[in-house]
Amino acid sequence: MEYKEMQVDHYLPQCKERFYSKRFKKDVHAEANLMPACRRCNHYKRARTPKQFRELMATLHERIESIYIMKVAIDFGIAAVRPFDGKFYFERLGLAEPTCQKE
């Protein structure tokens, strides 16, 4: 991924700051909570946790294949759909799950 295509993603969503702060003593604004992501993935993830996003992505190919025009594209060999391999960009880079502990 090129640098210009990247965004900073909050591994634990920043909109759930109170929840993570009070219950788990996690700082969603900590540097350890920031991960590289492409703009499109970051937008699609929105306020989901990585676990929730992974579950959503696991069925994406099924949802795409159910769209009529996509079925036509597959039939004519214009498009091919394959399941999500379960790894996010930061995992492919070997970055670990952040701890985000409050100090």
Side-chain angles (χ1 to χ4, degrees), residues 1-8 36-39 89:
M1 176 183 341
E2 291 187 34
Y3 182 75
K4 66 182 180 182
E5 298 169 349
M6 295 175 74
Q7 283 190 338
V8 175
C38 74
R39 182 179 307 270
Y89 181 71

Side-chain angles (χ1 to χ4, degrees), residues 14-56:
Q14 60 182 334
C15 67
K16 297 178 181 168
E17 178 179 9
R18 281 191 195 158
F19 172 76
Y20 288 112
S21 179
K22 288 181 180 180
R23 191 164 191 187
F24 300 107
K25 306 292 186 228
K26 302 247 183 194
D27 180 8
V28 299
H29 300 294
E31 186 176 341
N33 190 46
L34 306 177
M35 294 289 163
C38 74
R39 182 179 307 270
R40 193 170 303 142
C41 291
N42 195 20
H43 178 79
Y44 193 55
K45 177 183 174 261
R46 296 197 179 219
R48 295 176 181 92
T49 64
K51 181 182 179 211
Q52 293 167 328
F53 188 49
R54 196 179 312 273
E55 290 167 357
L56 181 70

Side-chain angles (χ1 to χ4, degrees), residues 42-100:
N42 195 20
H43 178 79
Y44 193 55
K45 177 183 174 261
R46 296 197 179 219
R48 295 176 181 92
T49 64
K51 181 182 179 211
Q52 293 167 328
F53 188 49
R54 196 179 312 273
E55 290 167 357
L56 181 70
M57 292 297 293
T59 62
L60 181 61
H61 66 287
E62 295 166 355
R63 289 179 277 132
I64 290 171
E65 289 173 334
S66 70
I67 299 169
Y68 185 80
I69 194 70
M70 189 59 169
K71 290 178 183 182
V72 173
I74 292 168
D75 290 346
F76 281 91
I78 298 168
V81 179
R82 65 183 202 285
F84 174 57
D85 69 2
K87 292 195 184 261
F88 296 126
Y89 181 71
F90 72 90
E91 294 168 325
R92 288 190 182 108
L93 293 178
L95 300 175
E97 183 176 319
T99 57
C100 317

